[in-house]
Amino acid sequence: MKHAQVREAAAALFNDQRSPFGAFSLGSETHHAATIPDAVRRCRWIAVDINASAFGLYFVSPSPERARLVACFDSDYPGTAVATKFISGANGEDMVRHSRLSTAPRWWVDDALAGSRQVFQSLAWAESTAPLAPGTNGIAFPVHADRGQCGLVVFLGSEIALSDDTLCEIHARSFALFAAVARIRPGDTGRMRSISKRELECLKLTANGNTSEEIAKLLKLSVHTANQYLTQSTQKLNAVNRNQAVAKALRLGLIE
């Protein structure tokens, strides 16, 4: 199935007044995710439907040379799961390239875990890949939204239940969830302190995996100044750390 077909399926879910976020039907709220906690709840319902034990939603950072996956949230929200640290690191680099070029889901299995392999191998429109996190079985759905944003919705579990008949719907629901998250805007936008160009440059370089030392060198700053810019942007975005600030900046389209 091609990218356009998946987006059409996502639109059909809305048109049929069915919830793209869970197994139950909701009212008009299905058209918008109002908050990140709400999006987490809706993603958890998708996980329940396919018997996944964990999940995560990631944005692809903007750099074509050093792009990586930036976690918006995972099943340990408001904390961060151990698996996310691997997915956001070097393990996710191949999936970044794949997500930009294809919408084909990718799955992986750990030989030490029972189940999943036979289920995944029966999926006609899905490819195997190297594990995104050690000691896990999982499937990743590439997703896209407005303004050229792309990302990944990942589900982990040793007994994930999927078939060709349900794969399209789960992917469409993942597309719709990502699009809803990408539309979230802070409720107090008018009162949010403006972020300077230099602060955004530091955030963008952080999104691409650069350390404070590397950012300082690239921008000809001291490490202290680079860290100061990152701290200021984190505070202005009301984030708890720089990784959450990067995810917010990507979602809000502040860095592209």
Side-chain angles (χ1 to χ4, degrees):
M1 179 178 292
K2 292 184 172 61
H3 168 75
Q5 291 175 291
V6 178
R7 297 202 74 159
E8 287 173 6
L13 286 175
F14 282 139
N15 293 337
D16 290 342
Q17 296 299 307
R18 296 171 60 192
S19 169
F21 303 109
F24 53 90
S25 177
L26 300 171
S28 59
E29 72 158 322
T30 60
H31 294 270
H32 299 281
T35 64
I36 291 297
D38 187 45
V40 173
R41 175 180 62 84
R42 296 174 183 189
C43 196
R44 184 168 282 114
W45 273 105
I46 302 178
V48 167
D49 286 351
I50 64 174
N51 202 36
S53 57
F55 56 84
L57 186 147
Y58 305 82
F59 280 84
V60 171
S61 66
S63 171
E65 298 84 16
R66 200 176 178 180
R68 67 187 184 102
L69 293 166
V70 178
C72 183
F73 62 77
D74 61 35
S75 42
D76 279 10
Y77 179 86
T80 301
V82 173
T84 286
K85 296 176 183 177
F86 288 98
I87 295 171
S88 296
N91 287 18
E93 289 178 2
D94 183 60
M95 278 302 306
V96 166
R97 291 187 289 270
H98 173 74
S99 299
R100 285 175 164 168
L101 300 173
S102 172
T103 55
R106 280 189 165 184
W107 57 267
W108 66 92
V109 296
D110 185 292
D111 292 335
L113 298 176
S116 295
R117 182 180 292 277
Q118 187 173 355
V119 170
F120 291 148
Q121 287 179 332
S122 69
L123 301 174
W125 186 61
E127 310 166 354
S128 64
T129 190
L132 290 189
T136 66
N137 296 347
I139 186 165
F141 293 94
V143 286
H144 297 257
D146 295 336
R147 303 197 311 270
Q149 293 175 310
C150 64
L152 211 63
V153 180
V154 175
F155 297 97
L156 307 174
S158 59
E159 298 290 344
I160 290 177
L162 269 174
S163 67
D164 278 331
D165 291 337
T166 58
L167 184 67
C168 174
E169 180 179 353
I170 296 301
H171 200 172
R173 287 164 65 183
S174 297
F175 248 90
L177 175 64
F178 184 74
V181 168
R183 286 196 302 268
I184 295 174
R185 294 294 181 269
D188 58 347
T189 304
R191 296 192 299 275
M192 189 174 72
R193 295 162 59 195
S194 61
I195 300 177
S196 72
K197 179 181 178 181
R198 197 54 118 184
E199 289 167 349
L200 289 177
E201 287 175 336
C202 290
L203 275 179
K204 184 171 183 177
L205 289 170
T206 300
N208 295 334
N210 291 282
T211 64
S212 295
E213 290 75 15
E214 291 170 328
I215 292 171
K217 185 176 180 180
L218 288 167
L219 298 180
K220 295 180 173 58
L221 304 170
S222 69
V223 176
H224 172 76
T225 301
N227 282 328
Q228 194 171 38
Y229 281 132
L230 287 167
T231 298
Q232 289 169 183
S233 60
T234 298
Q235 293 172 344
K236 290 177 180 180
L237 287 166
N238 194 30
V240 296
N241 54 46
R242 64 179 62 180
N243 287 332
Q244 189 183 86
V246 166
K248 276 194 170 187
L250 285 168
R251 176 167 56 79
L252 295 170
L254 298 176
I255 54 178
E256 299 177 347

